[in-house]
Amino acid sequence: MVLKIFGRKPALLNIKKVFFSYTGRQITLTEGTLGLLDVVIPLGRICRYGGGSRVFWPVLLHSMVVADLLPKRLEAHGLLHDMTDAVFGDIPKPFKTEEMLSLQHRMHDKFLLGFGLALLNAKDKRLIKRADTRAFLGEQVVAPPGRAEVIGRDMRAEQLTIQYRQRYAIADCLEADGRA
């Protein structure tokens, strides 16, 4: 059996330039996109803070908190705001180079279009970033990163984080047929 990438027989070296998603979709910088399962299953398996959390807190549940903190019209964007982590992993912000950030933004836009969603304007990007920051404030108390001091509080985000931690067991996030 010969592996075909986008219907072509690749040179062995070209295989290294293809990402294979959870469902087997073939994605490169210019071709292919993620499906919903290609996003939610990996995000359920990826721990926030590059794995440096004191408790397992998956990017998937973080994204659910972010979505709940947004207006209804932006909920889908909130759920997908970290979708590139399904490809790149959860790289802590201090270690993301400008080149990596640029690549993630380009891929994020490409994936949004693949889901049939509109690209965000600057105002909506700020709203999502604010919800993301609020989610962090809730997480640092309930599902803390490896840090001792609390840098601020957001009671609604804490409440949502508690709610999702109680609703979904770790296995619900890790298993492809889990409830999360």
Side-chain angles (χ1 to χ4, degrees):
M1 181 171 121
V2 175
L3 178 66
K4 289 188 176 186
I5 310 265
F6 298 110
R8 301 183 294 269
K9 291 182 185 177
L12 189 54
L13 293 177
N14 288 340
I15 291 175
K16 294 180 181 179
K17 295 181 179 185
V18 175
F19 173 79
F20 292 91
S21 71
Y22 174 80
T23 62
R25 290 175 184 234
Q26 300 166 17
I27 300 168
T28 69
L29 295 177
T30 58
E31 296 182 75
T33 191
L34 296 172
L36 192 56
L37 290 177
D38 299 316
V39 174
V40 297
I41 292 173
L43 293 188
R45 295 174 175 172
I46 297 171
C47 187
R48 292 267 292 150
Y49 318 115
S53 178
R54 291 188 199 160
V55 298
F56 181 77
W57 181 244
V59 175
L60 176 64
L61 296 185
H62 160 78
S63 296
M64 292 164 73
V65 171
V66 170
D68 285 349
L69 294 170
L70 289 166
K72 196 103 175 128
R73 68 182 177 79
L74 291 175
E75 283 180 350
H77 285 86
L79 285 169
L80 296 171
H81 82 282
D82 278 338
M83 72 178 140
T84 58
D85 287 4
V87 175
F88 298 106
D90 184 48
I91 302 168
K93 191 84 161 182
F95 300 103
K96 288 184 183 179
T97 64
E98 287 302 316
E99 183 179 16
M100 173 58 74
L101 285 169
S102 175
L103 176 60
Q104 284 184 314
H105 292 304
R106 284 194 330 264
M107 296 303 284
H108 184 269
D109 288 351
K110 175 182 157 181
F111 296 153
L112 277 180
L113 294 173
F115 280 113
L117 293 172
L119 298 182
L120 294 164
N121 61 41
K123 179 183 174 189
D124 288 342
K125 285 181 183 180
R126 284 191 301 273
L127 286 172
I128 290 171
K129 183 61 185 162
R130 182 170 184 265
D132 192 25
T133 300
R134 289 182 65 197
F136 167 76
L137 294 176
E139 292 166 2
Q140 69 173 345
V141 175
V142 180
R147 60 182 296 132
E149 74 276 3
V150 173
I151 60 170
R153 302 285 297 263
D154 185 305
M155 299 311 288
R156 177 67 180 136
E158 286 179 36
Q159 180 182 49
L160 288 166
T161 303
I162 290 167
Q163 173 186 320
Y164 284 118
R165 280 201 68 206
Q166 291 173 344
R167 184 181 300 166
Y168 299 108
I170 291 172
D172 290 329
C173 296
L174 296 175
E175 299 299 325
D177 60 353
R179 295 181 319 119

